[in-house]
Amino acid sequence: MTAVAVIIFVAAYALIISEKVHRTIVGIVGAMLMIIAGIISQETAIHHIDFNTLGLLMGMMIIVNITSETGLFNFLAIWSAKKVKAQPVKLLVALSLLTAVCSALLDNVTTSRRSSKSTLSRF
């Protein structure tokens, strides 16, 4: 039983690292395989889900998505690049600070991807 769990975990981790399959799909399929294999019961799996955390993350992702649609992240990235006159080292520091400030207020994963993508697409 333990060997099967380790194989499922390692396979899921390898697929997530390879990015050939979206990590959400890998996570769901991995969890389903654990339940189907009888390693964990469905009741135990549902008991370990923190719905408060899921609600918070979904809410933050909605806010970040709406904010990105307004162009705020593009504006901030371009504004910071202009302020440092696109000098590479200063630009790295400026974008790092911008991402840190935005991540302190919004969802970290989505914010850092949005600000770096928008800057890279402009230059």
Side-chain angles (χ1 to χ4, degrees):
M1 198 70 89
T2 304
V4 175
V6 170
I7 290 170
I8 293 171
F9 179 76
V10 170
Y13 212 79
L15 283 171
I16 290 171
I17 291 172
S18 72
E19 295 184 356
K20 293 186 182 208
V21 182
H22 196 276
R23 62 181 168 249
T24 305
I25 295 170
V26 173
I28 291 172
V29 170
M32 285 176 23
L33 287 174
M34 292 286 217
I35 292 170
I36 291 169
I39 297 167
I40 188 171
S41 70
Q42 186 175 1
E43 293 80 26
T44 305
I46 290 174
H47 176 71
H48 286 289
I49 296 173
D50 187 357
F51 289 102
N52 293 327
T53 302
L54 287 178
L56 176 68
L57 286 174
M58 286 192 308
M60 291 301 286
M61 287 182 179
I62 290 169
I63 291 170
V64 169
N65 193 24
I66 291 171
T67 305
S68 69
E69 292 292 323
T70 66
L72 178 67
F73 297 122
N74 288 336
F75 171 78
L76 291 173
I78 293 168
W79 176 80
S80 63
K82 285 181 180 180
K83 286 292 182 185
V84 298
K85 297 182 174 96
Q87 295 175 2
V89 174
K90 289 182 180 179
L91 183 60
L92 177 67
V93 172
L95 289 178
S96 296
L97 290 173
L98 175 65
T99 301
V101 169
C102 290
S103 293
L105 303 173
L106 300 169
D107 180 36
N108 295 340
V109 175
T110 314
T111 304
S112 61
R113 284 182 173 230
R114 294 278 184 195
S115 62
S116 61
K117 270 187 181 178
S118 61
T119 303
L120 293 176
S121 65
R122 291 299 220 173
F123 292 101

